[in-house]
Amino acid sequence: MGGWFSRIHFSAMNSNSDHIVGRRVSSSQKVLYAVVFIIAICIVIFLLPSGQHDSQLMLLWEDFGYNTTYPATKPVWTPKGIQYCIGIVADPDEKSKVENKPNTWRSYLKVGHLTLSHDRDKAYVDWDENVIELNTHLSEGGRGAELSELIVFNGKLLTVDDRSGIIYEIIDNNLVPWAILPDGDGRTPKGFKAEWMTIKDKVLYVGGLGKVWTTTTGVVVNDNPQHIKMVSPVGHVLHMNWANHYNAMMEAAGIYRPGYVIHESCNWSPYHSKWFFLPRRASKEKYDDQEDEHRATNIMITADSTFTNINVRPIGPLQPTHGFSSFRFIPKTKDTIVVALKTEEDKGKIASYIMVFNINGDVLLDEVKIGDIKFEGFEFL
């Protein structure tokens, strides 16, 4: 199993190749291509409205070998249904520190299989017996490897530390730093408390809690968690203020300040041209650190690209201590069937659960307990 992850890191194209569509490129042609590229950049800069330049420049990278392979492991036909390889990653919080190794923090990757029945009305999950340990020597404030999400992006298997804001690539079961996300608008010394990752237009979007940062008793400190990060395929980072988007979703759910909604999972759907959110917690009351443990949600929020048309629907029964922490659409279902993780933190009790449902709210697999570890990231491998 140890070498399996090295095969997830594909080489999408050879950037040193001198061949395009089977023809050798002359020096004059190379110059011409360079000039055309520069002209394209100028058009973006001078013709696009202010504020859109950076995001559009990012998208120019998609023409330089973006790897669209997903999932990396081909699904398998079985008598019970189509079987997918899946993985989940843990956020051990303070328990990530390795006591017998100096300056070492660890998390865990658990691999298994999900089977979707051929008629798409049932789902089954089984897990490999062994759990893979992931180590890092990087931390912030004495904490590290608190991994909150898992995603395949441009042929890389990525995860993110919600303490340091470091995006790691998992290579041969090692955590290799790939990009660093500062908090808020990017001009703060603190790492970004990243909670979710999704892909839109070949750009990686990374978001946080989506609520204003408060003290344990609800006093507002800043709006840093309402910023999101846009990361290009080569690791360039842009910082965007999504306060209006988050606030619009909160109000669509019938919640107004000092109430709040906490987000830990999000996906963009190119099939529906919508954002999908499964909030972890929500309340019409002011934030309170202890009460928050019993404010989980069972709702799904969808929004169009501009967050002007927003809808809210219930998903399964409400479990007050079981909140959504990650989800993905099952490949080849046109983003109609969801696999979601739920986590529980209640007076020191930690647990994780997995469930499957469709976007109409019909449950295909009721919550199944994974274990007494807080797994916060899910992905098809």
Side-chain angles (χ1 to χ4, degrees):
M1 197 68 183
W4 183 87
F5 289 99
S6 63
R7 297 200 296 273
I8 203 167
H9 187 203
F10 302 102
S11 176
M13 71 180 299
N14 182 355
S15 60
N16 295 320
S17 174
D18 284 336
H19 292 78
I20 295 180
V21 196
R23 295 185 293 107
R24 183 169 294 278
V25 180
S26 66
S27 298
S28 60
Q29 286 176 310
K30 291 180 181 179
V31 172
L32 177 60
Y33 295 144
V35 170
V36 170
F37 180 66
I38 292 172
I39 291 174
I41 291 178
C42 292
I43 290 173
V44 169
I45 293 175
F46 290 106
L47 295 186
L48 282 176
S50 176
Q52 295 186 16
H53 301 153
D54 291 339
S55 60
Q56 293 298 320
L57 282 171
M58 243 185 202
L59 301 187
L60 293 176
W61 286 108
E62 70 187 45
D63 297 324
F64 290 84
Y66 183 88
N67 189 337
T68 59
T69 303
Y70 182 81
T73 304
K74 187 176 180 180
V76 177
W77 187 96
T78 74
K80 293 180 70 173
I82 304 300
Q83 185 182 84
Y84 300 86
C85 184
I86 60 175
I88 54 178
V89 71
D91 178 357
D93 291 327
E94 293 91 339
K95 294 181 180 179
S96 66
K97 184 72 174 69
V98 180
E99 296 299 332
N100 59 349
K101 292 183 181 179
N103 300 316
T104 303
W105 291 261
R106 67 183 166 202
S107 181
Y108 304 97
L109 180 69
K110 190 176 182 67
V111 177
H113 295 91
L114 179 140
T115 302
L116 178 65
S117 65
H118 295 297
D119 57 10
R120 297 188 175 184
D121 66 354
K122 294 183 181 65
Y124 316 89
V125 176
D126 61 89
W127 300 103
D128 291 359
E129 186 174 336
N130 297 326
V131 176
I132 299 164
E133 185 172 308
L134 305 172
N135 292 318
T136 182
H137 299 298
L138 302 178
S139 67
E140 179 178 305
R143 294 175 64 176
E146 300 182 21
L147 307 181
S148 60
E149 188 57 291
L150 193 65
I151 194 167
V152 173
F153 174 57
N154 192 28
K156 299 177 174 66
L157 181 61
L158 303 179
T159 186
V160 64
D161 181 356
D162 70 14
R163 293 294 299 186
S164 64
I166 298 173
I167 298 178
Y168 292 99
E169 181 179 1
I170 300 175
I171 303 177
D172 293 332
N173 304 335
N174 294 309
L175 291 175
V176 180
W178 184 68
I180 298 177
L181 308 177
D183 200 18
D185 63 2
R187 298 177 63 84
T188 65
K190 179 183 177 296
F192 183 53
K193 186 171 174 53
E195 296 290 349
W196 57 262
M197 296 194 288
T198 188
I199 300 166
K200 181 179 183 291
D201 300 324
K202 301 178 183 177
V203 171
L204 179 67
Y205 284 67
V206 187
L209 298 174
K211 67 176 280 293
V212 292
W213 189 258
T214 66
T215 64
T216 57
T217 57
V219 178
V220 176
V221 177
N222 58 55
D223 68 349
N224 289 350
Q226 294 194 308
H227 287 73
I228 63 104
K229 316 298 176 180
M230 297 173 61
V231 189
S232 78
V234 295
H236 293 163
V237 181
L238 294 177
H239 311 274
M240 306 288 289
N241 190 330
W242 264 28
N244 290 338
H245 297 338
Y246 281 123
N247 293 340
M249 288 191 289
M250 182 175 68
E251 293 176 6
I255 298 174
Y256 301 86
R257 289 187 181 178
Y260 62 91
V261 177
I262 291 178
H263 296 277
E264 293 195 9
S265 60
C266 166
N267 277 284
W268 167 257
S269 168
Y271 288 100
H272 303 287
S273 295
K274 290 181 179 179
W275 295 97
F276 284 73
F277 292 82
L278 295 175
R280 181 169 181 185
R281 291 171 179 155
S283 175
K284 294 183 179 181
E285 306 297 325
K286 184 176 68 170
Y287 180 84
D288 178 272
D289 200 40
Q290 297 301 316
E291 295 296 329
D292 185 61
E293 293 183 342
H294 297 82
R295 293 173 173 176
T297 82
N298 66 331
I299 61 173
M300 177 174 66
I301 301 176
T302 59
D304 63 8
S305 60
T306 60
F307 287 83
T308 53
N309 295 309
I310 302 174
N311 293 287
V312 182
R313 74 162 62 236
I315 300 293
L318 175 63
Q319 299 279 358
T321 61
H322 298 189
F324 292 108
S325 58
S326 181
F327 77 95
R328 293 283 179 245
F329 296 109
I330 297 181
K332 307 300 182 182
T333 64
K334 296 185 178 179
D335 294 353
T336 59
I337 303 180
V338 170
V339 183
L341 294 184
K342 284 188 171 184
T343 54
E344 180 179 25
E345 297 176 271
D346 181 22
K347 297 181 176 64
K349 177 185 177 182
I350 304 296
S352 297
Y353 305 82
I354 190 168
M355 68 179 300
V356 182
F357 54 88
N358 63 35
I359 60 174
N360 294 322
D362 303 316
V363 176
L364 283 64
L365 176 67
D366 289 321
E367 286 185 29
V368 177
K369 186 175 180 179
I370 301 169
D372 297 322
I373 298 176
K374 188 171 65 167
F375 288 102
E376 289 200 338
F378 175 92
E379 180 59 296
F380 289 91
L381 304 178

